[in-house]
């Protein structure tokens, strides 16, 4: 389905981003990975995409809090892909929890930079190539927190609501082209980002990790089940398909019923 397409997935060295990269590679897309982690593990991941799916996979380790590194990554993608990414998935993200009055300003800046501003930069560099080809898919990993709020997550909720807005503007500016822009809004997915929150809750309540995980998911998901990274990967794949040609400026919630309440 995606043979001949090239996809840049930010924050794809683990969790949801890696699952999306695998889903797209599984459909034949060449991939550029991005994100932090152990050098050897990242190289093993890159190689396994090539061997498992028969695609070409690259890695760029740009720190997405740094606009100059984002620009260099986009140039690298343009060079390696020979003309820019056809599919851009803005997925890199971090979390920090604190009450607003205790929220360290530098943490606010980091969350906004990585979860929101980086997507503005990647999108502005990717669009000219997509417009040239009259085809493109921009998928922004937002969150249930792009639709509703929770306490102690001021920066994250602001960034995720912001990226929903950026998605809509991108969609309007490309509406008469073959480019679409949409967000995916996952509920709880048990990745590194969430594991740290589960550990904190376990410590806080003097309960086991598994009990804390059950409490966390049950509190928000009527389904009482976690979403899996693979389910988000398949959602991204759907947004890249012909079936989604006329879907733009909207979002897909995959949240066990969280935002239906
Ligand atoms: P994760 O921690 O496994 O993945 C985050 C990725 O972002 C990693 O590859 C990490 O290296 C990368 N990253 C972090 N800072 C970076 C930086 N400065 N520059 C480049 N890369 C950087 O967590 P995840 O849960 O897979 O998160 C992926 C996205 O999904 C995030 O945007 C997150 O907000 C969103 N999300 C997660 C959940 C969840 O429950 N896990 C729910 C909704 C939305």
């Amino acid at each position: 389905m995606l043979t001949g397409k090239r996809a840049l997935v930010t924050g794809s060295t683990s969790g949801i981003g890696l699952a999306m990269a695998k889903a797209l590679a599984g459909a034949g897309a060449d991939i550029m990975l991005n994100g932090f982690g152990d050098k050897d593990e990242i190289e093993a991941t890159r190689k396994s995409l090539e061997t498992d799916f028969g695609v070409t996979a690259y890695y760029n380790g740009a720190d997405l809090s740094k606009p100059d590194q984002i620009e260099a990554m986009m140039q690298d993608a343009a060079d390696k892909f020979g003309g820019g990414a056809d599919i851009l998935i803005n997925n890199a993200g971090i979390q920090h929890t604190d009450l607003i009055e205790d929220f360290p300003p530098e943490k606010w800046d980091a969350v906004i930079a990585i979860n929101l501003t980086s997507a503005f930069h990647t999108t502005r560099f990717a669009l000219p190539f997509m417009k040239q080809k009259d085809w493109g898919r921009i998928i922004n990993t937002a969150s249930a927190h792009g639709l509703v709020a929770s306490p102690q997550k001021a920066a994250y909720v602001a960034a995720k609501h912001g990226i929903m807005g950026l998605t809509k503007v991108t969609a309007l500016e490309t509406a008469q082209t073959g480019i679409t822009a949409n967000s995916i809004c996952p509920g709880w997915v048990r990745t590194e980002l969430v594991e740290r929150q589960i550990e904190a809750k376990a410590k806080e309540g003097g309960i086991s990790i598994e009990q804390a995980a059950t409490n966390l998911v049950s509190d928000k998901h009527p389904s009482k089940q976690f979403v899996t990274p693979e389910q988000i990967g398949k959602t991204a794949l759907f947004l890249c398909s012909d079936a989604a040609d006329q879907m733009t400026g909207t979002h897909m919630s995959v949240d066990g019923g969280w935002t239906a309440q």
Side-chain angles (χ1 to χ4, degrees):
M1 176 182 123
L2 296 177
T3 304
K5 301 288 191 220
R6 288 79 50 99
L8 169 61
V9 187
T10 72
S12 50
T13 49
S14 65
I16 293 170
L18 180 54
M20 291 200 280
K22 283 183 182 168
L24 300 193
D30 291 333
I31 303 290
M32 181 172 278
L33 296 168
N34 157 262
F36 299 150
D38 177 80
K39 210 168 147 253
D40 294 339
E41 276 177 32
I42 293 171
E43 177 52 17
T45 302
R46 190 199 63 74
K47 268 205 179 127
S48 75
L49 286 179
E50 295 193 332
T51 48
D52 293 352
F53 303 113
V55 300
T56 304
Y58 305 102
Y59 166 70
N60 185 295
D63 177 345
L64 298 192
S65 67
K66 310 251 174 358
D68 58 329
Q69 292 194 26
I70 298 175
E71 183 168 5
M73 176 182 74
M74 298 310 287
Q75 189 56 55
D76 189 31
D79 293 345
K80 297 223 165 78
F81 286 153
D86 305 290
I87 299 163
L88 169 65
I89 303 193
N90 291 308
N91 171 77
I94 58 166
Q95 176 63 283
H96 181 83
T97 57
D98 253 322
L99 292 173
I100 292 173
E101 61 266 39
D102 301 328
F103 215 96
E106 62 277 11
K107 292 284 184 195
W108 168 277
D109 288 344
V111 172
I112 299 293
I114 296 163
N115 296 21
L116 176 59
T117 309
S118 72
F120 159 68
H121 290 299
T122 55
T123 301
R124 76 191 173 90
F125 288 118
L127 276 176
F129 292 106
M130 292 181 180
K131 284 185 176 169
Q132 249 171 31
K133 288 179 265 192
D134 199 28
W135 197 92
R137 291 286 188 264
I138 297 178
I139 300 171
N140 294 322
T141 305
S143 168
H145 283 121
L147 298 161
V148 296
S150 295
Q152 302 197 15
K153 294 188 173 173
Y156 190 84
V157 170
K160 294 301 186 183
H161 276 67
I163 204 157
M164 299 286 281
L166 174 65
T167 305
K168 290 175 191 172
V169 175
T170 310
L172 292 180
E173 291 186 5
T174 55
Q176 290 172 32
T177 72
I179 303 165
T180 68
N182 294 289
S183 305
I184 298 177
C185 296
W188 289 118
V189 187
R190 213 164 160 184
T191 63
E192 271 305 301
L193 185 136
V194 163
E195 214 58 52
R196 279 194 292 275
Q197 295 175 65
I198 293 172
E199 281 162 18
K201 296 249 179 241
K203 209 169 154 195
E204 208 177 278
I207 52 175
S208 69
I209 295 280
E210 280 321 302
Q211 190 57 53
T214 303
N215 293 353
L216 188 91
V217 75
S218 304
D219 183 38
K220 297 290 189 191
H221 286 199
S223 71
K224 302 196 186 304
Q225 289 180 53
F226 282 95
V227 177
T228 67
E230 291 70 26
Q231 287 164 346
I232 305 296
K234 286 179 183 164
T235 307
L237 196 55
F238 169 74
L239 288 172
C240 292
S241 73
D242 295 348
D245 267 354
Q246 283 302 312
M247 235 181 116
T248 195
T250 189
H251 68 272
M252 292 184 78
S253 284
V254 189
D255 65 5
W258 177 344
T259 54
Q261 298 171 96

